[in-house]
Amino acid sequence: MTRRWALRLSVCLVAGAAALTGCSEKQEANESLPTTSSAEPSEDALPPLGPQDLPMPDEARTQDAAGAEAFVRYYFALLNKSLTDMDPQHLRQFAEDGCDVCERVARETESDAAQGYTYRGGELTVAGEVSVTMTGPAEAQSAFIADQAPMTVLDRTGVPVPGLDFDGEEALSSGTITVWDPSLRSWQLTELTLG
Amino acid sequence: MGSFTAAYLEQTPSGGWVASNAAPAEHPFTYQLSHPCVVDDRETGACRGSDFFQCPAPPGRVVEDLIPEQRRLVLSGEGGATRTIDGFPPGDVPVGSPVGPWIGGTRACIDITALNPAPSPAEVFRYFQTLPLPQLPTKQQPPGNGLVGLPVIFFTDGPTTQTFTLDIRGFTVDITATASSFTWHTGDGTDLITTDPGAPYPDHTISHDYASGTYTASLTTTWTATFSIDGGLTVPVPGSTTTEGPPVTFDVLQARPVLTNPFD
């Protein structure tokens, strides 16, 4: 049991780390994105993607390195959000089947939510820049360093679950592979490497 | 058991793949090798039929069906700078550290002998098939000749459990073999299959009616096993093996009533 949890936790910590970056980014993105009331209707407007309170920014929807980088940061924001609301549906929406880390995070989050668990901490921050290289017309790879904050798993009453209190980690050499999905006009994760 | 790390992966002139931890200086990648079932299980929680493939392996070599992944390593560049093999940004990662994502490769049979992996279940099974398992004898009652109309009782009195301790490439492997099935060849064309070794009269469980004649009966014992490596988890050996016991030959006679003078 402990081993399973540890496995889950390490993944979720990673997820949480992404979230920290995402949280700070989330606010910035919301501020910069046009609101429904202020936006001018356009034939070229992209159909919205992602949760209503954290929509995918338009800059993440261009088929170039800048778009891939914005997408990676956005996915991290989604990871962070899932740590808070325990809802991984959008983690799956923007990850292909081959992204086993993405799926594992989603699956474990679902499992924990079903047990009434919540997470405290676990944030992961991108330290420095995200380097992105286009490795094909529709594929990009990124590299970045991530830090992982300590994480505690809480039960239904908000009490820490014994044995599920984890130290953070620093300087995790991380990376992603993303592919362009023309139907969604979005990038999709096929590989998420954390540490 | 499911994944290995390797510092070097190369293709031999014959086309095979060999993994090791002896990489040349400044080798640009590090490797991770996973069984297909592990990869599938990470995604779906289940293995697929196609996940199981037995790679041919020369004696003494460990060759397994694996999915390789490689990851760039940061290399030293000119003037104290850093680089990667293909120009991928090395970032602020020190020389020798991995950078960027794992990149999946093509599934292949890879020789991982140099990685000294723990014996796989399939490898243990190969050893299991060579163990000197008991050749259980066939015992019959009544001893000697049988009689038509009097069922012949079969049983065996040999050991039905045997333990072995093996050294497989430096790993201590404990195998516990159990006789799980018994096939009694009665000699008249009938095979009786049981899961118990039988017992002598009056606790017998296996018997057979014969017509008069001479018969040779024997016992085929099917063995299954469990194993553990270095005192770890006990798991089943994937497969069974059989032993043939020494046959016994006996006559089954037709008893004929004979009137005699009780006063003789």
Side-chain angles (χ1 to χ4, degrees), chain A residues 5 86 109-119 153-159 161:
Chain A
W5 265 100
M86 308 298 289
T109 302
E110 279 178 339
S111 173
D112 291 344
Q115 297 183 73
Y117 291 149
T118 56
Y119 306 137
V153 179
L154 308 174
D155 67 13
R156 292 178 186 277
T157 63
V159 174
V161 179

Side-chain angles (χ1 to χ4, degrees), chain B residues 59-75:
Chain B
R61 307 298 296 180
V62 181
V63 182
E64 297 192 1
D65 181 26
L66 296 163
I67 296 175
E69 295 173 279
Q70 67 180 19
R71 198 174 179 196
R72 298 175 187 87
L73 293 176
V74 175
L75 308 173

Side-chain angles (χ1 to χ4, degrees), chain B residues 188-207:
Chain B
D188 65 356
T190 302
D191 284 345
L192 306 173
I193 299 175
T194 66
T195 56
D196 71 272
Y201 180 88
D203 300 318
H204 59 284
T205 58
I206 304 155
S207 62

Side-chain angles (χ1 to χ4, degrees), chain A residues 7 13 23-24 29 41-42 48 51 66 77 101 106 121 127 135-136 139 148 153-154 161 176 179 189 191 194:
Chain A
L7 188 65
L13 280 169
C23 273
S24 57
S42 165
V101 171
T135 47
E139 183 186 280
Q148 196 173 51
V153 179
L154 308 174
V161 179
T176 62
V179 294
L189 267 182
E191 169 64 28
L194 294 155

